[in-house]
Amino acid sequence: MRISALLDELRRNGIDLSITDVAGTDRAEIKDLCSDSRMVEPGSVFFAVRGAIADGHNYLQQAVTAGASAVVVEVQPCINLAEINPEICVIRVADVRTAMAYAARAFYSDAHQKPCPKMYVAGVTGTNGKTTLTYMLEALMQACGLTPAVIGTISNRMDGEVIEASHTTPDVLSLYKMVAVFKARGADALALEVSSHALEQKRVIGLDFDLGVFTNLTPEHLDYHPDMEAYYSAKARLFSAESGYGCRKAVINIADPYGVRLAAEVPAALLVDPRPGSASAADVRVVSAEFSLAGVRAKIRTPAATVELHSNLIGAFNLENLCCAMGAGLAMGLSAAEAVACLAQLQPVPGRLERVENTLGALVLVDYAHTPDALEKALEAVVALKPKRLLSVVGCGGDRDKGKRPLMAAAAVNASALALITSDNPRTENPAEIIRHMVAGATNTGATCLSLEQAKAGVSGYCVMQDRAEALKFAVTVLQPGDVLLVTGKGHEDYQIIGTTKFHFDDREHLRAALKERGTAR
């Protein structure tokens, strides 16, 4: 693709180039697109993105020196590029992020030089449930006869081939490159987790969503968004054409207060209400439900039929996910019976109340819950199983919202006979300082801070064990038949970030090793 063709694509998508100018030659062939000056090679187009930490305009000279054939800058660049290289093509736009999205869509599609049919694109947004919903959407798409790809927190995958995920929603260049690869390999559908960051940073502009699903909204990422109103506004963009997004059909969970608000803004949406016995006017609502160790049994009413759903997924929050998926299935054109039959076959998602098998007669679960709301829902799910005792292991990440730390510790301590407060991904924060914030919440519950000897003796309360591996081993040591052990925070993650280094660490591996040491591993 030549720069001139890229300019035509930008104009076609409403990028106003007339207000500025396009300088330099536009006949050069584009070899790659970059937003990191360190990745620029001869023939690259460099996008000078203004980020929260760095401004790409400060690295234009490096990009040009490295061989960039064109740079995309905002209307007033910081330096005179003609002084560096008068041959460089300088493309001035009002918004570099939007231009980058449309450029990426065109360039990576063109790079594969293979005509591809339009994909059916479904995006899931909300605080909790996004990952589980994409697994459900993948199955529903297959039931519709489609060949789906999935992009999300755990993995990016298609037909069993998995690419490790580093972000919930990749940066826009990686995203469109990945979508083009999936298309070229035969994918005709995409299930995508859409984070608030992605919507705020315009990473999914141009994807042309057929379906948008809203799960819920609870405090999270308030280190990035100034308040819940800004957080909600970012999420709501997925359903708004005025924001540059919009979707042909929407499924909204109105059991969530923000879902009620969003439903008023998207009047044509299909509404779901997972609260058993609710008298709401939702299109998909739960008549009755039973929760057990075996999973969920629910009677669900839809506009066309009332159906019975049996799922081995545990807990009320998974019923919420299943109802959202039911709505999505109906929006895709499946009957209620077809959607129920598909969802009944689903296995637990990695790191979402994932069982660690043992012969002790205890239930050991690993869950990704890393927000107060997600943790409370996971705790409620296991409390409903009426265990002999509930033991929990909880930690909080560093360099993230500090306000949730005391809340999460308090939730774990209130629900558990024994809560172990430990480290998660401390990143560049002092783990002891993170734990100090958590202990403040535990103290406010009035619970007793125990010695390890007291915990071993069965006294109720909480212990502080900064070393996560030692905390997991200790939890298994005191585990008894009939107990439930819930380990939260990392879920599917197989690493721990200490400082800026990522070390291999998998909660499931440590739990199995501790169970093996007790002779109770399976």
Side-chain angles (χ1 to χ4, degrees):
M1 173 180 276
R2 290 186 175 180
I3 294 173
S4 57
L6 190 65
L7 293 172
D8 289 341
E9 182 68 14
L10 292 179
R11 292 189 183 98
R12 191 176 70 81
N13 284 284
I15 304 300
D16 189 356
L17 302 176
S18 64
I19 60 172
T20 57
D21 69 294
V22 176
T25 179
D26 64 359
R27 305 298 297 168
E29 285 287 336
I30 300 171
K31 303 299 183 185
D32 195 14
L33 306 181
C34 296
S35 60
D36 184 337
S37 62
R38 295 167 297 184
M39 305 299 291
V40 171
E41 296 179 351
S44 296
V45 174
F46 174 70
F47 293 86
V49 175
R50 296 188 192 276
I53 299 175
D55 183 349
H57 292 82
N58 296 330
Y59 300 91
L60 288 168
Q61 182 165 352
Q62 291 92 316
V64 173
T65 302
S69 58
V71 294
V72 182
V73 300
E74 292 187 355
V75 177
Q76 298 296 329
C78 302
I79 58 175
N80 186 347
L81 293 170
E83 294 179 356
I84 304 173
N85 183 348
E87 298 297 317
I88 196 77
C89 182
V90 181
I91 305 167
R92 305 179 198 271
V93 297
D95 183 353
V96 171
R97 289 186 185 275
T98 300
M100 183 165 62
Y102 288 120
R105 185 179 68 176
F107 174 75
Y108 289 117
S109 294
D110 183 74
H112 285 277
Q113 298 180 346
K114 179 180 178 180
C116 299
K118 182 193 177 303
M119 296 179 102
Y120 182 94
V121 180
V124 184
T125 198
T127 305
N128 301 311
K130 295 188 297 296
T131 299
T132 299
L133 255 296
T134 57
Y135 275 77
M136 293 176 175
L137 288 174
E138 180 183 27
L140 292 166
M141 288 171 171
Q142 290 168 341
C144 290
L146 298 171
T147 302
V150 178
I151 296 178
T153 302
I154 294 179
S155 65
N156 307 312
R157 63 188 183 279
M158 174 186 165
D159 280 345
E161 182 180 353
V162 175
I163 304 170
E164 183 182 357
S166 59
H167 295 84
T168 298
T169 313
D171 69 86
V172 70
L173 299 181
S174 299
L175 173 66
Y176 276 111
K177 187 174 185 178
M178 197 180 304
V179 169
V181 169
F182 284 142
K183 277 188 176 181
R185 294 180 183 179
D188 55 10
L190 174 67
L192 173 75
E193 293 183 48
V194 185
S195 67
S196 58
H197 292 69
L199 291 161
E200 189 87 11
Q201 297 169 9
K202 303 182 180 179
R203 296 186 215 163
V204 292
I205 284 281
L207 260 187
D208 193 16
F209 288 93
D210 294 282
L211 175 65
V213 181
F214 175 84
T215 59
N216 50 62
L217 198 75
T218 60
E220 169 72 326
H221 302 308
L222 297 182
D223 53 335
Y224 179 80
H225 303 288
D227 51 37
M228 286 297 292
E229 183 63 24
Y231 185 29
Y232 169 79
S233 296
K235 293 288 191 183
R237 289 181 182 183
L238 178 62
F239 305 90
S240 169
E242 293 180 358
S243 297
Y245 299 100
C247 44
R248 292 179 178 83
K249 293 184 178 180
V251 174
I252 298 173
N253 172 22
I254 62 168
D256 182 274
Y258 285 99
V260 174
R261 176 177 171 183
L262 183 62
E265 298 170 10
V266 189
L270 188 154
L271 307 181
V272 304
D273 190 339
R275 294 170 293 189
S278 171
S280 73
D283 301 281
V284 175
R285 61 187 188 274
V286 177
V287 177
S288 59
E290 298 176 8
F291 305 99
S292 70
L293 189 58
V296 175
R297 298 171 66 92
K299 180 182 291 186
I300 300 177
R301 182 170 294 157
T302 74
T306 298
V307 291
E308 295 277 353
L309 172 63
H310 300 167
S311 170
N312 64 4
L313 302 182
I314 297 173
F317 70 90
N318 268 318
L319 179 57
E320 181 176 311
N321 292 330
L322 288 161
C323 284
C324 288
M326 277 289 297
L330 297 178
M332 289 180 195
L334 294 174
S335 69
E338 289 169 333
V340 159
C342 173
L343 296 173
Q345 304 302 314
L346 283 172
Q347 297 303 308
V349 175
R352 272 63 177 176
L353 288 187
E354 181 180 354
R355 300 176 193 237
V356 178
E357 299 296 343
N358 64 87
T359 61
L360 184 61
L363 179 60
V364 180
L365 300 168
V366 172
D367 194 81
Y368 188 54
H370 59 285
T371 68
D373 180 69
L375 178 58
E376 287 172 6
K377 288 180 177 177
L379 291 164
E380 288 170 4
V382 294
V383 167
L385 301 177
K386 296 181 172 56
K388 179 180 175 182
R389 291 188 307 164
L390 171 57
L391 283 62
S392 61
V393 178
V394 61
C396 290
D399 302 334
R400 298 292 188 269
D401 179 12
K402 297 179 181 180
K404 68 182 182 180
R405 295 170 184 173
L407 300 177
M408 291 180 65
V413 170
N414 278 328
S416 309
L418 174 63
L420 298 175
I421 295 174
T422 188
S423 186
D424 191 301
N425 291 320
R427 300 183 179 88
T428 62
E429 270 196 84
N430 184 339
E433 182 68 6
I434 299 170
I435 289 173
R436 185 180 69 79
H437 294 154
M438 296 182 70
V439 168
T443 301
N444 288 339
T445 68
T448 304
C449 182
L450 306 175
S451 67
L452 298 187
E453 290 72 22
Q454 288 174 308
K456 287 179 182 178
V459 180
S460 295
Y462 67 92
C463 292
V464 174
M465 299 187 72
Q466 181 171 308
D467 188 302
R468 190 174 183 90
E470 289 300 316
L472 295 176
K473 184 176 181 180
F474 183 79
V476 170
T477 299
V478 299
L479 194 62
Q480 299 298 325
D483 290 346
V484 171
L485 169 59
L486 177 63
V487 178
T488 65
K490 296 180 61 60
H492 64 280
E493 292 179 350
D494 61 359
Y495 59 83
Q496 189 174 30
I497 303 173
I498 301 174
T500 57
T501 304
K502 184 182 286 188
F503 299 91
H504 179 77
F505 192 103
D506 189 319
D507 284 347
R508 296 159 296 188
E509 291 178 5
H510 283 272
L511 290 166
R512 291 188 190 105
L515 288 164
K516 184 177 181 180
E517 191 171 321
R518 283 194 63 175
T520 57
R522 179 180 291 173

